[in-house]
Amino acid sequence: MILKEMFETQKKLDEHINKNHKIKNNTIIKKTVSLIVELSECANEIRFFKFWSNKGPSSKEVILEEYVDVIHFALSIANSLNSEYIFNRDYVNRLDYLSLELIFLDIINTTTELYNIKEKGLIENKFIELLEKILGFGSIWFSFKEIETAYYKKNAINHNRQNNGY
């Protein structure tokens, strides 16, 4: 999957947010925490870890909305890294586990590893690994077309929120 257009769309939202909130410095740590929180909200809607409950997952639409929030923050982190290597890449779904719990924990681990890397080449490769794991996680429930459509819909909502004092 080529995500260049999505990176560019996210960049416009990032710039809009930075302007509205007078953000001048790199907010990668806040974006990293936000990605983890949004992934957790997505997991909460899927309910795969709730061994104590018989209640099933939320609707596909609710899960997709939470999942595209994860995508927004992943793309935003990429924009903070500002790497043509990241922007022009063909991404694949990387899914190495059968357990949703292990996938979830691996994404969290890769996210925190990404934050701790300082060398540009290593950080780019770690980000690619992270995004491919996130795409793999989403591919369990959704097609790329569904993800892409929901991303653009939520991006428009986020712009509207910024225009209205969110």
Side-chain angles (χ1 to χ4, degrees):
M1 290 172 275
I2 305 294
L3 304 177
K4 187 163 181 60
E5 185 177 315
M6 290 174 73
F7 285 122
E8 291 171 6
T9 300
Q10 185 63 42
K11 183 177 182 180
K12 290 174 187 169
L13 178 60
D14 292 344
E15 289 169 350
H16 194 169
I17 291 168
N18 290 344
K19 180 181 174 191
N20 279 0
H21 296 278
K22 297 175 179 57
I23 298 169
K24 294 182 173 132
N25 59 349
N26 189 337
T27 57
I28 198 162
I29 191 167
K30 291 182 186 301
K31 292 174 183 181
T32 301
V33 172
S34 298
L35 187 149
I36 292 169
V37 169
E38 294 299 341
L39 181 66
S40 298
E41 289 178 6
C42 185
N44 197 48
E45 296 299 337
I46 299 167
R47 302 179 56 83
F48 61 84
F49 62 94
K50 294 187 176 188
F51 60 89
W52 61 88
S53 175
N54 291 324
K55 184 178 175 185
S58 296
S59 71
K60 187 175 178 179
E61 293 79 22
V62 169
I63 295 168
L64 181 57
E65 186 174 337
E66 292 298 340
Y67 175 74
V68 296
D69 287 341
V70 177
I71 296 292
H72 269 87
F73 282 106
L75 297 174
S76 189
I77 289 169
N79 286 330
S80 293
L81 299 175
N82 194 26
S83 164
E84 288 301 315
Y85 180 66
I86 288 172
F87 299 148
N88 294 315
R89 180 172 182 80
D90 186 9
Y91 287 86
V92 298
N93 295 342
R94 185 185 299 205
L95 195 57
D96 298 330
Y97 305 100
L98 298 177
S99 160
L100 290 174
E101 292 84 0
L102 290 176
I103 295 167
F104 175 83
L105 290 174
D106 192 38
I107 292 172
I108 300 284
N109 186 49
T110 304
T111 304
T112 56
E113 286 175 359
L114 173 72
Y115 177 75
N116 290 312
I117 297 171
K118 304 304 177 207
E119 298 103 39
K120 187 161 178 77
L122 294 177
I123 200 167
E124 291 168 332
N125 288 330
K126 187 56 72 173
F127 176 81
I128 290 164
E129 177 185 340
L130 172 64
L131 188 53
E132 289 181 342
K133 288 176 181 180
I134 290 170
L135 292 170
F137 182 73
S139 73
I140 295 170
W141 298 279
F142 313 109
S143 70
F144 180 68
K145 188 64 178 166
E146 289 174 307
I147 293 167
E148 184 180 37
T149 299
Y151 169 80
Y152 286 114
K153 180 179 175 185
K154 185 65 181 269
N155 190 275
I157 290 168
N158 288 341
H159 272 287
N160 189 41
R161 286 176 173 171
Q162 289 302 308
N163 290 334
N164 292 299
Y166 185 76

